[in-house]
Amino acid sequence: MRPRAAALASAAALLLAATATLGAAPGASRPLPDRMADTGGGTQLITAQAARTGSTTGTVTWWDRRGGRWVKSGTAAARFGANGLTEGGSRKQGSNTTPTGLFRLPYAFGIKSAPSGTDYPYRRVTKNSWWCQDNDSRSYNRWTQPRPAHCRAAESEHLITYDAQYAHALVIGFNYDRPVRGRGAGIFLHVGGATAGCVSVPGDAMRRILRWAEQGRRPHMAIGTASGATAITRY
């Protein structure tokens, strides 16, 4: 090959390599939290991501902020609502959908004792523990113990009856601080199986998350899809 032709071929190869690099998805190599609009301001984060709003399965990952970088600390298979996911701000109670958004995690609870090493605030479920989902009650979307007369049993969850799901759980702060009636109540990160709007992970993963979470590091949870209007990166 003549020198000029060789030089042109070399330049073309370099250009092709550069083009391939530039053509990669923006931020594809960056950790998911670095691509999000907000992570809650703390140094711990849980992400729950599904492929699309119609998905009922996905992945939960928990992250630590260390030395100015987000580092993956664990991951587990996840289940979402029976009817997939929906934008949290427009969700309807009884829709069997998991709300998307960024939420704080008020406290943990469980029928079983807190896993050894748990630092997070933890409430033990008793036979008198209920989660009020009655839209007409002053206790809407709150733990009640005992259940008040204004919160109908038929419109609430008797927590101790969910021995598998609520062996261990974290309250997700959806519709929690200023509850909107009809938007939904009792959204948790809990153990295994299909859900009516919560996020669930295997029991071992739930125990690992509770040992990992530290209240002083202000963990939040982001729920969303891989792309579109409910993309997790929007929250």
Side-chain angles (χ1 to χ4, degrees), residues 132 134 136-140 144 147-152:
C132 184
D134 187 341
D136 296 325
S137 173
R138 298 190 298 274
S139 299
Y140 179 67
T144 63
R147 179 182 56 80
H150 56 75
C151 182
R152 292 169 292 173

Side-chain angles (χ1 to χ4, degrees), residues 40 61 154 156 215:
T61 306
S156 304
Q215 185 182 29

